[in-house]
Every structure is written in structure tokens, then in C-alpha cells.
Amino acid sequence: MDLSSIKDIVQRLIKRPSASMAPVPCIAGLSQELRNISPHHFHERGMYNEALVALLFAAKGFQLIAHRLQTPWAEIDLIFSDESNGLTIVEVKTVRLDQYIPPISHSQKKRLARAHLHVQSFYGRPVQSHLALVNDDQYIEVIEDFLC
């Protein structure tokens, strides 16, 4: 499994800063490429699931503008721009089918809330924070505004 393949798929989804750069490719084509990858390691699984969630949000009309953004408080997995010029932060968590463990600890939630405020002040746009849970069967459940 080539981790660079997953990174390449996510990079091709990111909003291009100028018209001179190549347009974002067809989502269906990227989805097919992702199906051909079978991650086995924990880090690969995280990247893979982030790519799945990025494709889901792109299919809903969101534009990916950042992937794994480092803030002083936490790394933000995905940041999307929406039609209303707002931003949506998505924290992606892999969950197991055979047991339930809360995917976000209290301290991690506090760090993500600080990162949320950082992004909101940096971009000067309203921000929503969603949690995307991805299980072993690649089922994605999105919990909207999970920091409220």
C-alpha cells in the first residue's frame, strides 16, 4: 500500500488558489482510485478515512481548503468552505464495530474548541465543527456541531 496514493487523492481535492492551476478532478474518479487502496496500518487507515470523508463532503458541494492544518492547540483534519462562505471543520475518527469507546476525550474536545476559535479568527468567517465517525465497513456518520 502506497501512502502517497492517499495523500495524492486528498491533495487533488484541495481548492486551487488560482485559475491557472489544474481544476479539481471528477469525484467519482477519485472515489474509484480510493476503492483500489487497502490500508493496513493505523496511520494509513487514518489518512484513508480522511480521504473518504473529504470525498463525501466534496460530493455534497463543499470545497476542501485544508488538510491536517496545524494550529497552536490541535491539528485539524479537514477544513471545507461551503456555499454560504462559511467554513466547516471536520474531525475524522475511526471507530471499531465490536466496541464503543468515546472517540473524543474531554481534553481533546477543549483543544479542538480552541483550534476552532483560532480558525474562525484567522479566516474571519463563521465556522462549524463536525465529527465524522468511520467504521471498518467504511460507513460514515457525521455528528454536526459536536463542540456545542
Side-chain angles (χ1 to χ4, degrees):
M1 175 11 210
D2 184 7
L3 187 58
S4 65
S5 299
I6 298 172
K7 289 180 182 178
D8 180 57
I9 289 170
V10 173
Q11 282 302 115
R12 286 187 277 156
L13 279 172
I14 293 180
K15 184 177 181 179
R16 305 297 184 216
S18 71
S20 64
M21 298 188 86
V24 175
C26 175
I27 291 170
L30 291 178
S31 180
Q32 183 59 45
E33 284 182 51
L34 200 53
R35 278 191 214 108
N36 296 331
I37 298 171
S38 177
H40 299 289
H41 297 25
F42 181 75
H43 180 72
E44 292 173 352
R45 173 63 63 189
M47 289 287 292
Y48 181 83
N49 288 343
E50 288 168 6
L52 283 176
V53 172
L55 288 169
L56 172 71
F57 275 78
K60 292 181 176 185
F62 289 81
Q63 182 68 53
L64 182 64
I65 61 170
H67 177 237
R68 294 198 167 185
L69 177 71
Q70 295 292 328
T71 73
W73 296 277
E75 178 183 87
I76 297 175
D77 293 334
L78 303 166
I79 301 178
F80 296 93
S81 179
D82 61 28
E83 293 174 355
S84 68
N85 202 30
L87 297 176
T88 300
I89 292 172
V90 181
E91 175 68 15
V92 179
K93 291 292 180 189
T94 302
V95 294
R96 292 180 52 180
L97 292 172
D98 60 349
Q99 66 185 47
Y100 178 77
I101 299 173
I104 302 278
S105 69
H106 179 68
S107 61
Q108 186 178 19
K109 194 171 182 180
K110 284 173 57 176
R111 287 192 308 273
L112 288 168
R114 288 184 186 125
H116 171 113
L117 292 174
H118 175 81
V119 168
Q120 189 168 12
S121 67
F122 181 81
Y123 285 100
R125 294 159 67 178
V127 177
Q128 297 181 18
S129 293
H130 298 342
L131 177 64
L133 305 175
V134 185
N135 71 18
D136 298 335
D137 290 336
Q138 300 175 355
Y139 173 78
I140 302 170
E141 181 178 352
V142 177
I143 301 169
E144 295 184 355
D145 297 319
F146 80 101
L147 291 177
C148 295

